[in-house]
Amino acid sequence: MSSRLDIIVFGATGYTGKEAVHKMVTLAQEKALSWGIAGRNLAKLESVLKEVSDKTGTDCTNVKTFVADIKDEQSLRDMTKNATALVNCCGPYRFYGEQVIKACIATKTHHVDVSGEPQFMEKMQLKYHKDAEENGVYVISACGFDSLVCEIGILHMMNSFKGQLNSIETYLESDYKGKQQQKGASIHYGTWESAIYSLVHANELRPLREQLYPKRLPNFTPKLKPRPIMHKNPEVNKWCLPFPGSDRSIALRTQRHFYDYDKKRPIQVQTYVAFKSFLHTVTVAFVGLIFGLMTKTSFTRTLLLNHPKLFSCGMVSHEGPPEDERAEVEFSMTFLGEGWSEVNSVPEEEHTQPPAKKMITKVSGMDPGYGFTCTALILSAVTVLKDASKMPGKGGVYPAGAAFANTSLMTELQSHGLKIEVLSSE
């Protein structure tokens, strides 16, 4: 019998890490899991366990703690060798992720995280996929709201469409449902920091992708063209902008996996975010433009990093959003799919008629950025533990959709607050 714990939560004293520990208490009881927590400071780890014990009414004093530091490779290995799967909450992953993945591969420990940083994820796939595969280790990023909701929604539509999909457009919406006016921030500083560095290093993506995929995809038609930067979509009846997160890049990596390994026609994907009013949309576009411009120079980046509340209009803070306000945030993502009723047996074979079959689906839930994210993150780790035989290969670095397509994760998420529905099919 293995002496390893099922799961260790690393970065347990940070904002997301604390929430993951909180969710871990309930899920460990439900799934009969052994678990521990890890971080740099033993006193802070013990404080987190006391805080979570008081909050949940569950005695966590016997939960094992591990002191591990990103700067100390041996301490990382001493931690990871004690877990079957590591839940990594320590970001930005550009700076702190690779060392942990190396330790996990060396000690044959599965790794899941909540990175939304395309450069990091694609670099890890390029550098470590073969090593992870040889060691039987699964490394899966973006296992939270960003970008598991998008991946699960696409997988659901693929399973429900009863035909061949050509394209999917996604529309993200969020709405605060609280009776009192929102007073706290909506985003933690770590997310802000990661977004800044992702924009700064966006030029790394092209050379990374040329190495990851030296052979280009065939020219599938009709092409799904991006909509105007600002547009009103009649299906969601809202004004919309391109979604700046990692959803599209991860979805396209998953579709490339399905083409390369399962011989399926890759679905073209575009992602958007929808707003209640034209004025709100214009305001967000303007703030986004200023934010993008300020990431261009060292001086203005420093301003963004040192004064997040000011330059985010109060949306970002080091303290993160208050829990009571988080719980009142509802999210939904609408999926607009188009394709054909007929399925060509060869993915490169073109259809003779334009797409005539349509489907609209929706995925929704509450507390997207932290509550849902941490539940999804831990359930992703549980899925690796329980369903590894249903995952691709014997290990490797995969986008979440490719990793979990044939597992029970979608069902698990639905039983833990995620609603998935078909709105129309014609």
Side-chain angles (χ1 to χ4, degrees):
M1 185 174 178
S2 174
S3 60
R4 293 186 180 215
L5 299 172
D6 291 319
I7 293 172
I8 290 177
V9 178
F10 179 52
T13 60
Y15 185 86
T16 302
K18 285 182 183 178
E19 182 64 20
V21 174
H22 182 207
K23 298 297 184 185
M24 192 75 232
V25 172
T26 304
L27 290 170
Q29 293 172 343
E30 178 187 324
K31 305 293 184 184
L33 300 169
S34 59
W35 63 288
I37 65 172
R40 289 183 299 172
N41 187 298
L42 180 59
K44 288 183 178 180
L45 290 171
E46 291 172 344
S47 176
V48 167
L49 290 177
K50 183 180 185 307
E51 181 182 326
V52 171
S53 295
D54 294 343
K55 189 174 180 179
T56 63
T58 300
D59 184 7
C60 297
T61 54
N62 292 325
V63 172
K64 290 187 177 180
T65 56
F66 301 86
V67 176
D69 193 322
I70 292 294
K71 297 176 182 178
D72 183 346
E73 184 177 334
Q74 188 58 51
S75 74
L76 292 176
R77 293 191 181 199
D78 289 343
M79 168 189 65
T80 58
K81 72 181 182 182
N82 284 286
T84 306
L86 187 77
V87 168
N88 185 4
C89 301
C90 189
Y93 295 92
R94 158 175 284 276
F95 302 124
Y96 309 127
E98 183 172 359
Q99 305 93 310
V100 182
I101 286 175
K102 285 173 67 177
C104 282
I105 293 172
T107 58
K108 299 186 177 181
T109 302
H110 303 300
H111 174 281
V112 297
D113 65 46
V114 288
S115 171
E117 305 161 43
Q119 299 94 328
F120 166 77
M121 292 182 275
E122 295 178 32
K123 182 180 178 182
M124 294 304 97
Q125 183 177 340
L126 182 65
K127 289 184 69 173
Y128 296 109
H129 177 76
K130 186 177 179 181
D131 290 344
E133 187 175 35
E134 288 175 352
N135 277 18
V137 170
Y138 286 102
V139 176
I140 308 158
S141 289
C143 293
F145 172 71
D146 188 0
S147 295
L148 201 53
V149 170
C150 181
E151 289 279 73
I152 290 295
I154 291 174
L155 290 174
H156 173 260
M157 183 171 280
M158 290 172 67
N159 294 337
S160 307
F161 193 74
K162 296 179 181 178
Q164 192 160 51
L165 277 158
N166 178 63
S167 64
I168 294 177
E169 294 174 302
T170 72
Y171 286 86
L172 172 65
E173 302 174 56
S174 67
D175 191 18
Y176 177 68
K177 297 292 187 179
K179 294 180 180 178
Q180 303 296 324
Q181 185 177 357
Q182 217 170 347
K183 295 179 181 178
S186 350
I187 301 170
H188 185 260
Y189 177 79
T191 305
W192 175 261
E193 186 180 14
S194 296
I196 290 169
Y197 286 112
S198 288
L199 275 176
V200 170
H201 298 282
N203 61 338
E204 296 174 357
L205 283 170
R206 180 181 289 274
L208 275 171
R209 289 167 181 170
E210 288 174 349
Q211 293 179 74
L212 261 180
Y213 307 114
K215 185 178 179 181
R216 300 189 67 173
L217 281 172
N219 185 33
F220 292 99
T221 59
K223 284 288 186 186
L224 176 63
K225 295 180 180 179
R227 293 182 184 262
I229 290 177
M230 190 180 300
H231 66 279
K232 187 170 186 180
N233 185 285
E235 301 293 351
V236 297
N237 194 31
K238 287 183 173 64
W239 285 93
C240 310
L241 296 168
F243 179 57
S246 60
D247 285 5
R248 183 172 184 265
S249 67
I250 293 172
L252 293 179
R253 284 172 56 216
T254 290
Q255 293 304 313
R256 180 63 187 251
H257 172 88
F258 291 153
Y259 175 76
D260 287 341
Y261 293 95
D262 300 335
K263 306 306 176 188
K264 293 181 180 178
R265 178 187 172 106
I267 300 165
Q268 301 173 73
V269 178
Q270 294 289 348
T271 58
Y272 303 96
V273 57
F275 302 95
K276 285 183 176 180
S277 69
F278 177 74
L279 180 60
H280 190 179
T281 311
V282 171
T283 302
V284 171
F286 178 74
V287 172
L289 176 63
I290 299 302
F291 177 81
L293 290 173
M294 289 187 70
T295 63
K296 301 295 184 185
T297 73
S298 176
F299 173 71
T300 50
R301 281 197 299 274
T302 301
L303 290 176
L304 288 173
L305 291 166
N306 291 343
H307 305 283
K309 275 190 178 180
L310 174 63
F311 291 104
S312 68
C313 302
M315 291 183 63
V316 178
S317 76
H318 287 277
E319 299 77 26
E323 186 176 352
D324 58 337
E325 293 185 0
R326 272 182 19 213
E328 299 294 336
V329 177
E330 181 181 48
F331 72 87
S332 68
M333 187 174 286
T334 303
F335 297 78
L336 311 181
E338 290 191 356
W340 302 270
S341 298
E342 305 78 17
V343 179
N344 289 341
S345 56
V346 178
E348 296 83 5
E349 182 182 351
E350 291 290 356
H351 290 263
T352 57
Q353 299 295 324
K357 182 176 173 62
K358 296 182 179 181
M359 176 175 277
I360 303 176
T361 62
K362 186 165 80 169
V363 176
S364 57
M366 301 296 291
D367 189 6
Y370 301 97
F372 171 80
T373 281
C374 291
T375 297
L377 176 62
I378 294 166
L379 287 175
S380 295
V382 172
T383 302
V384 177
L385 296 177
K386 307 291 187 184
D387 286 353
S389 62
K390 299 176 183 178
M391 294 170 67
K394 296 181 179 179
V397 182
Y398 294 98
F404 296 126
N406 299 313
T407 70
S408 59
L409 181 57
M410 186 186 301
T411 301
E412 286 286 354
L413 291 170
Q414 287 177 284
S415 67
H416 289 84
L418 192 69
K419 183 178 181 182
I420 306 177
E421 53 192 321
V422 176
L423 301 183
S424 67
S425 181
E426 56 187 61

